[in-house]
Amino acid sequence: QVQLVESGGGLVQAGGSLRLSCAASGLTFSSYAMGWFRQAPGKERSLVARISRSAVSTYYADSVKGRFTISRDNAKNTVYLQMNSLKPEDTAVYYCAAGLLTSVRGTGYDHWGQGTQVTVSS
């Protein structure tokens, strides 16, 4: 079955960096667009970044533009989220997701990871 396993979350001070990884199995990874979402307590889950199947195109939410970078390695079936200049408002559970027909509105994702906690202290 399809599995998406996130790693790399943790506690970091404001201004610091973290790199999230999401290892995929059970699917043809290169056929899927990949996205990173986040959900903070009391808020809805929202799309943070998206990368196309071949990594030709990327999308970022306004709140993370210039600070976060999404990338993928199709040979390793892994997608990454490099997060720099972290702010307390970036604190959330971060999820990776895979979809065949995705949109920048965050729809069309078929498979989800279990999430990894990112906490940014002030």
Side-chain angles (χ1 to χ4, degrees), residues 1-5 23-29 32 34 97-99 110-113:
Q1 71 276 22
V2 176
Q3 282 193 314
L4 302 177
V5 180
S25 61
L27 75 170
T28 304
F29 183 72
Y32 286 79
M34 299 298 296
D110 307 302
H111 307 289
W112 295 83

Side-chain angles (χ1 to χ4, degrees), residues 6-61:
E6 300 99 335
S7 61
L11 174 64
V12 64
Q13 288 188 329
S17 298
L18 283 174
R19 188 194 195 205
L20 305 183
S21 299
C22 172
S25 61
L27 75 170
T28 304
F29 183 72
S30 59
S31 296
Y32 286 79
M34 299 298 296
W36 284 98
F37 291 74
R38 68 185 181 188
Q39 186 169 22
K43 294 189 177 181
E44 292 186 356
R45 187 170 59 191
S46 63
L47 178 65
V48 173
R50 173 192 176 272
I51 189 166
S52 63
R53 293 174 294 178
S54 59
V56 169
S57 67
T58 57
Y59 162 85
Y60 297 94

